[in-house]
Amino acid sequence: MLSYRHSYHAGNHADVLKHSILVQLLAYLGQKDKAFQIIDTHAGAGLYALDSVHAEKLGEFRGGIGRLWDRTDLPPMLAAYVAEVRALNGDGTLQAYPGSPWFSQRALREQDRMRLFELHSTDFRTLDSYFGQQGKQCKVFADDGFANLKALLPPPSRRGLTLIDPSYELREDYSRLIQALKDSLLRFPTGMYAIWYPMLAKPESKQLPRQLKALGASNWLHATLSVRGPSPEGFGMNGSGMFIINPPWTLAATLQAELPWLTAALAEDEGACHTLEHEST
């Protein structure tokens, strides 16, 4: 039984890192006329009301998108991200937050395709109501995203982005992620893969970056953002990471310039920090 609901965490610091990078990846794909495919293996509900009981219970968006909403000094990557969120909030009041499918759909052109997977029954119904009536361009599945990658890769155009961000509430999510990527890279080695993960005290979380590097991709980027130091008890998520396989060549320089600014903007204590490493051969 899946219990994780992203509606409790929508717009938090992890979403800011994930979605600001996602906007950059989508813009890069759109620079060429040739079609691309987006696969979102754990799409969630797609859109989130920030005045809902779930969002208000923890109020995590206030420490994430809420800290950027009224800033007038946003650097370019973050300005592009916030502009996308503003497009969903037409009156200028921060009332709703987009999930990854919304950002992706905004980038689609007539020739592009998007495939969304979500197993949580309630979130699937919401996702399907937003994105399921768009014909062949967007398909929504109440199915296992990991298990369906083989059937979708490589895309006919040989251009695509696969976004993988499970809840990691199940221990096997970590091992299934690594196996799915091994299989995907064999089928589609030139594809772009964006993996989000939480920074937690559990061993599986700490080992994941090393396992991702060991996959042998010749071109990768790894960025992390922690908004506070780890709790002495080892509870909670103090930060998150994004691991990109075959990233745009400009992304490392962009993050090098903007991650320090973002860390300062979202910092909750003196333990806030960021890391950035990349390899290209």
Side-chain angles (χ1 to χ4, degrees):
M1 174 68 72
L2 295 175
S3 60
Y4 177 84
R5 304 292 302 282
H6 192 66
S7 49
Y8 287 97
H9 312 286
N12 68 358
H13 59 86
D15 269 359
V16 172
L17 178 67
K18 175 172 61 179
H19 290 146
S20 60
I21 291 176
L22 176 60
V23 170
Q24 295 296 301
L25 303 183
L26 294 167
Y28 175 78
L29 284 172
Q31 289 177 3
K32 294 183 179 179
D33 291 337
K34 192 174 183 181
F36 61 80
Q37 173 182 269
I38 297 171
I39 303 171
D40 197 330
T41 62
H42 299 75
L47 291 171
Y48 304 93
L50 296 181
D51 59 356
S52 69
V53 173
H54 285 188
E56 287 287 356
K57 183 173 183 179
L58 300 177
E60 291 186 6
F61 67 91
R62 295 187 179 90
I65 183 62
R67 293 214 185 173
L68 306 182
W69 191 248
D70 293 320
R71 296 285 296 253
T72 59
D73 58 344
L74 296 169
M77 179 185 78
L78 295 168
Y81 155 69
V82 173
E84 290 294 289
V85 183
R86 285 192 175 278
L88 181 62
N89 294 271
D91 67 353
T93 303
L94 181 57
Q95 298 177 313
Y97 188 80
S100 301
W102 192 89
F103 289 100
S104 297
Q105 185 192 44
R106 294 261 299 168
L108 294 181
R109 304 158 303 178
E110 183 178 357
Q111 66 268 39
D112 304 323
R113 300 290 181 263
M114 180 165 69
R115 302 294 180 253
L116 308 175
F117 294 88
E118 178 53 48
L119 275 173
H120 194 289
S121 58
T122 303
D123 283 351
F124 168 77
R125 288 193 295 271
T126 304
L127 181 72
D128 191 50
S129 70
Y130 289 133
F131 301 99
Q133 311 302 318
Q134 299 174 28
K136 64 182 180 180
Q137 187 174 55
C138 179
K139 302 284 188 184
V140 183
F141 303 93
D143 210 342
D144 186 329
F146 284 139
N148 281 273
L149 282 176
K150 285 184 180 180
L152 293 171
L153 296 175
S157 66
R158 299 302 195 271
R159 299 186 71 230
L161 167 63
T162 300
L163 176 64
I164 306 176
D165 62 335
S167 66
Y168 299 96
E169 66 174 343
L170 302 175
R171 178 176 292 181
E172 56 262 35
D173 281 347
Y174 292 91
S175 57
R176 293 194 71 204
L177 165 65
I178 295 299
Q179 188 59 53
L181 277 170
K182 284 181 179 178
D183 294 340
S184 297
L185 286 168
L186 286 174
R187 299 177 67 85
F188 187 30
T190 59
M192 192 186 303
Y193 300 87
I195 300 95
W196 175 88
Y197 70 93
M199 296 176 71
L200 303 169
K202 60 176 61 177
E204 297 87 356
S205 177
K206 293 181 177 180
Q207 294 166 5
L208 186 61
R210 176 182 55 80
Q211 293 175 317
L212 290 168
K213 294 172 188 175
L215 289 172
S218 60
N219 188 10
W220 55 264
L221 179 149
H222 179 217
T224 71
L225 170 65
S226 299
V227 297
R228 56 184 174 271
S231 72
E233 300 82 12
F235 299 135
M237 180 182 75
N238 62 301
S240 67
M242 284 290 285
F243 193 95
I244 316 297
I245 296 174
N246 297 323
W249 67 272
T250 56
L251 185 59
T254 297
L255 289 171
Q256 186 72 44
E258 299 200 21
L259 268 178
W261 190 99
L262 182 60
T263 304
L266 301 189
E268 296 180 7
D269 65 26
E270 60 186 13
C273 62
H274 67 274
T275 66
L276 178 64
E277 39 183 353
H278 56 96
E279 183 172 296
S280 180
T281 58

